Amino acid sequence: MHPQAKELWHAPRWTLSVLLALLGMLGPFSIDTYLPAFAGIAKALGATPVEMQQTLSAYLFGFAFMSLFHGALADSFGRRPVVLWGLAVFTLASAGCALSQNISQLVFFRALQGLSTGAGIVVSRAVIRDMFSPAEAQKVMSQVTIFFGAAPAIAPLTGGWLLVLAGWHSIFWFLALIGVLLWGINYRLLPETLHPELRQPFETRHLLRGYWQLGSSPRFVLLALASGVPFNGMFLYVMAAPAFLGDLLGLAPTQFFWLFLLVISGIMTGAWLSGRLAGRIPPKRQIRHGFMIMLPVSLLNVLASALLPAHVSWALLPIGLFALGWALMVPVVTLLVLDLYPERRGMASSLQAFVGAVANGLVAGLLAPLVMHSTFWLAVASLSLMLVGLGSWVYLHWRWPDIGRHSAE
């Protein structure tokens, strides 16, 4: 924690939460905003469905790759420069997408978007822990998660309206405008929260030593898996939404919002509860509560999918409850990750984001197409992803029982 943290931000704490949430929302917002325009872009550029899928894959893997470095850069040069440079590149990449004349150009600029947007979510986590004590940091992390949960609902609606009113180019011009506004706001308001004495040398040997320290730490890897992989238990349904909602549940496109509404409600409720519990119960108990919601919900979802015909009356509720359990425990796990190696919080946030981004990319590109045409296999896949996180946490709890034992203060 920065020794002069109270002097760096004089406004109410929630205003900093909003600022950091906007940075964290930029990544998922950039994915979901252009999804309604897939068909329109393909027609305008003469692209095949496979080529359009490459625009998504290029973004996701660009995001995952650069997530490895945003935190290391922030540990060396400070939080503020990395955020501002990331926003500047994102703005230029968004303009490039809008001006693209063929699918190859669009894939290139989407990859550039992915390379830049990770700066927001990676650095914002480190800023939270720089500025606040553990209990306060959990409350702020929960507030950020609440705001973050709105992105999946707002983005497709925004993209759909822009597509209808002004064409697909307007979606990327809108993202470029957001980049300009965020750059100006952060240039004016975002403080430098990394104390000069804590800056790490930007040297190849030192960086490799840091990556090895974190990557070879069983505690770090298990915590990263416990937070990053279960998210895909609900992300899988979002990626499979056209087939799951349209083909299996028979919903019209105008009714797809019910899935997003339940997921967002679950995330916001779980994050709110996480903030309320901060400092009141030990972190490990809160993590257990989260998994004890996700586990029975996932099992019941598999059972219902095996015994009942697919129907909207029961198929969406488990996803919302799963989201609640995930949001209840993930702020706590994230803070445990950041506090394992306090001198490398930026790098720890980078590697945690990398684990989650790789999992997201594999689910979107490989798993979702395999299971999206069956409610049963979707439920089994969701349960399996959750069990990876649960197994990681159970082993961690058994091997290092002191982790998360004491309430944050």
Side-chain angles (χ1 to χ4, degrees):
M1 181 175 173
H2 196 292
Q4 286 87 41
K6 292 183 179 179
E7 301 174 11
L8 297 177
W9 189 268
H10 299 289
R13 184 184 65 199
W14 69 266
T15 58
L16 179 59
S17 300
V18 172
L19 180 64
L20 298 176
L22 291 173
L23 289 174
M25 286 171 60
L26 188 60
F29 194 85
S30 301
I31 296 175
D32 297 337
T33 307
Y34 92 122
L35 291 180
F38 253 45
I41 296 174
K43 183 178 180 180
L45 300 182
T48 66
V50 173
E51 289 173 328
M52 284 305 301
Q53 188 66 28
Q54 289 174 353
T55 66
L56 179 59
S57 300
Y59 179 95
L60 291 172
F61 285 107
F63 181 95
F65 173 76
M66 198 59 197
S67 291
L68 285 171
F69 304 103
H70 289 306
L73 291 168
D75 284 341
S76 298
F77 300 107
R79 317 302 193 202
R80 186 178 155 89
V82 175
V83 169
L84 293 177
W85 275 104
L87 290 172
V89 173
F90 171 80
T91 301
L92 293 174
S94 299
C97 290
L99 295 170
S100 295
Q101 300 298 308
N102 55 59
I103 192 64
S104 298
Q105 292 176 2
L106 183 60
V107 169
F108 172 79
F109 285 113
R110 284 291 291 170
L112 194 59
Q113 276 188 323
L115 289 169
S116 58
T117 51
I121 192 168
V122 168
V123 178
S124 63
R125 292 172 180 171
V127 169
I128 290 172
R129 195 58 187 90
D130 291 341
M131 291 287 289
F132 300 103
S133 64
E136 287 297 305
Q138 184 180 332
K139 293 177 182 178
V140 174
M141 193 79 73
S142 300
Q143 290 171 352
V144 168
T145 304
I146 290 174
F147 292 116
F148 175 83
I154 298 172
L157 294 175
T158 303
W161 277 109
L162 287 171
L163 175 67
V164 171
L165 295 175
W168 70 268
H169 300 277
S170 66
I171 295 173
F172 294 107
W173 285 123
F174 178 70
L175 292 176
L177 176 62
I178 289 177
V180 171
L181 293 175
L182 282 179
W183 192 95
I185 293 170
N186 281 274
Y187 180 81
R188 180 170 181 148
L189 299 179
L190 184 68
E192 179 51 68
T193 62
L194 180 65
H195 195 277
E197 295 180 358
L198 298 178
R199 296 198 176 193
Q200 302 292 314
F202 194 72
E203 301 171 354
T204 302
R205 182 178 298 179
H206 183 79
L207 290 175
L208 291 176
R209 188 183 304 120
Y211 285 120
W212 175 256
Q213 182 184 27
L214 271 66
S216 63
S217 167
R219 291 181 299 170
F220 174 84
V221 173
L222 291 169
L223 283 170
L225 291 174
S227 63
V229 179
F231 169 79
N232 287 279
M234 56 183 174
F235 181 69
L236 172 67
Y237 282 95
V238 174
M239 289 294 97
F244 172 60
L245 299 175
D247 299 338
L248 297 176
L249 299 186
L251 296 180
T254 54
Q255 298 172 308
F256 282 15
F257 75 94
W258 285 110
L259 171 64
F260 297 102
L261 179 64
L262 285 170
V263 170
I264 292 159
S265 299
I267 290 176
M268 289 184 168
T269 303
W272 179 80
L273 288 173
S274 178
R276 296 285 294 175
L277 293 173
R280 298 185 180 185
I281 64 173
K284 64 165 46 181
R285 187 184 300 174
Q286 188 168 325
I287 295 169
R288 183 177 66 193
H289 290 342
F291 277 115
M292 289 308 294
I293 292 173
M294 289 187 286
L295 178 60
V297 165
S298 298
L299 291 171
L300 287 173
N301 191 28
V302 172
L303 184 62
S305 300
L307 300 179
L308 301 175
H311 195 271
V312 69
S313 61
W314 62 264
L316 297 182
L317 182 61
I319 307 169
L321 294 174
F322 187 103
L324 188 154
W326 175 81
L328 177 63
M329 65 92 177
V330 77
V332 185
V333 179
T334 298
L335 290 174
L336 292 178
V337 168
L338 296 178
D339 285 344
L340 276 179
Y341 299 97
E343 74 282 2
R344 297 187 186 275
R345 284 198 176 107
M347 184 177 286
S349 182
S350 271
L351 288 175
Q352 183 190 27
F354 175 77
V355 171
V358 170
N360 294 349
L362 292 174
V363 166
L366 297 178
L367 183 58
L370 291 176
V371 301
M372 66 196 312
H373 299 292
S374 165
T375 55
F376 175 74
W377 288 113
L378 276 168
V380 170
S382 177
L383 171 64
S384 301
L385 290 164
M386 188 280 303
L387 288 176
V388 172
L390 177 59
S392 300
W393 173 249
V394 169
Y395 180 77
L396 183 75
H397 179 270
W398 170 77
R399 182 67 178 79
W400 292 278
D402 287 337
I403 288 184
R405 171 170 288 177
H406 304 289
S407 298
E409 298 178 358

